Amino acid sequence: MRKSPLLWPWSNRPNTFYEDTHFLGGIGEFGKADAYPATMRVHVESIGSGPPVVCTHGIGATRHTFDALTDILKDQFTVITWDLPGHGQSKSFEDAAAYDRDRVLEDLDGIVADLDLPPIMVGHSLGGYLTLAWSATRSASVAGYVILATGPGFRNAEKRDGWNAMSRRNAHRFGVATQVTEMNLQHDSVVMERLHKMSNRFELLVGDKDNPQLKGGMSYLATKLPDADLTVVPEGDHLMHEAIGAVATANAVRRISDR
C-alpha cells in the first residue's frame, strides 16, 4: 500500500458550463450517437474526447462535483458524468424501490453498455460504494477504478441496520427526500465478500482531514483489493476532488490509462 503526497494544489472555483458538452446524445468519438436516449431515467453528460471515464457522485451531490476533474481531463479523455436518480436533472420517484441499489446499478449498466472502449470508473462517497458494488456484481471489461472517500460496507447485520437508520434519519442533511436514501442503504455484504476477487487496478484516494471512519474504510480497501494503492491527499476533506485533490484524482485516472 502506497501513500502519495499531492503533487501541487488546486484552487477552488465555481462550476463551469462547457460548450463542448453533449447532453443525452453521444459520448464523444468512443460512443454512439444514440447511446443515451431521452427515455433514460438519469441525466448524463459527456465532455471531451478520448478514452471514456465514467464518474458517479455521492448522495446529495450532482454530476457537477466532478467539474474540476472534468476540466483537467477533457483534452485527453471523454469524461462522462451523470446525476443519480432523485438528484440534479435526473428523474425523481415517490416509490423507494426506484432508488434500490441494484436498480441504480442498472442505470450505470445503461451508461457503460455502448462504450467502444473499456472505461475508467470513478466514484465518490456513495458513488464510490456503488462503483464497488457494480464491480462486485458485474463482469464488464473496464480499464480500472478510481475510488474516492468511501467504504466497503459492513458484514455485521446490526451495523448495517444502524447505518440504514442513520441514512434515513439524515435525509434532510443530505438534501434529499427520505425515499432517495434507499440507494444509500446496505442490505448485504456483497462488496466485503468479493473484494478479493476484484482483480482490476484500483486507485484509492482520501483526504487526510476526512471522516476517520472513511479513512479507515479506504485503508481497509487498500489491504483487501489485490491490486490497489492508496493516496492520502494533504489538507483534503470529503470533497477534496472538487478542489485541492482534483489534480491528484486526475493523476490517478492517468496512471490507470497509462498501464
Side-chain angles (χ1 to χ4, degrees):
M1 179 178 68
R2 172 176 53 82
K3 293 187 178 181
S4 302
L6 181 63
L7 297 182
W8 63 87
W10 186 259
S11 59
N12 281 303
R13 58 182 173 176
N15 290 335
T16 304
F17 177 82
Y18 300 100
E19 292 183 353
D20 57 343
T21 298
H22 304 280
F23 293 94
L24 295 174
I27 44 177
E29 63 184 290
F30 291 100
K32 297 182 179 180
D34 61 348
Y36 304 138
T39 53
M40 284 187 71
R41 69 180 200 147
V42 294
H43 182 83
V44 185
E45 295 184 9
S46 70
I47 299 170
S49 179
V53 179
V54 177
C55 303
T56 304
H57 67 79
I59 192 165
T62 71
R63 66 189 183 280
H64 289 298
T65 193
F66 296 110
D67 279 357
L69 178 65
T70 298
D71 198 31
I72 298 171
L73 294 178
K74 64 188 178 75
D75 291 334
Q76 184 180 359
F77 298 91
T78 299
V79 184
I80 302 161
T81 59
W82 61 299
D83 290 328
L84 290 168
H87 294 72
Q89 292 180 255
S90 289
K91 297 178 182 179
S92 296
F93 307 91
E94 293 298 322
D95 186 358
Y99 301 100
D100 176 78
R101 178 197 67 191
D102 294 337
R103 179 64 186 88
V104 175
L105 295 185
E106 291 176 2
D107 294 324
L108 189 51
D109 288 337
I111 293 169
V112 172
D114 288 328
L115 297 176
D116 290 344
L117 288 177
I120 297 172
M121 306 293 287
V122 178
H124 171 251
S125 197
L126 169 61
Y129 173 78
L130 291 172
T131 302
L132 287 168
W134 189 83
S135 176
T137 57
R138 268 65 173 169
S139 58
S141 176
V142 299
Y145 294 86
V146 177
I147 303 297
L148 312 172
T150 194
F154 306 94
R155 281 199 179 91
N156 184 286
E158 290 185 2
K159 289 184 178 181
R160 290 199 299 269
D161 290 343
W163 171 268
N164 294 346
M166 180 276 296
S167 293
R168 295 188 181 99
R169 188 169 60 246
N170 287 309
H172 66 288
R173 294 188 177 184
F174 299 140
V176 300
T178 301
Q179 66 267 23
V180 177
T181 63
E182 181 67 29
M183 69 178 67
N184 199 46
L185 306 187
Q186 298 188 11
H187 302 294
D188 57 44
S189 57
V190 64
V191 173
M192 296 278 287
E193 302 299 336
R194 298 183 184 177
L195 286 174
H196 68 286
K197 296 182 179 180
M198 299 184 195
S199 58
N200 291 100
R201 174 64 179 169
F202 281 81
E203 291 280 347
L204 312 173
L205 293 91
V206 68
D208 69 353
K209 295 187 181 301
D210 205 341
N211 183 294
Q213 183 178 4
L214 287 174
K215 290 194 290 184
M218 294 296 286
S219 294
Y220 181 88
L221 289 172
T223 61
K224 297 299 181 180
L225 289 163
D227 186 8
D229 281 327
L230 175 62
T231 298
V232 177
V233 179
E235 302 302 314
D237 60 13
H238 190 58
L239 297 176
M240 55 89 185
H241 63 288
E242 292 186 354
I244 197 170
V247 170
T249 305
N251 287 341
V253 171
R254 293 185 180 116
R255 285 195 295 271
I256 289 177
S257 180
D258 290 343
R259 283 171 67 93

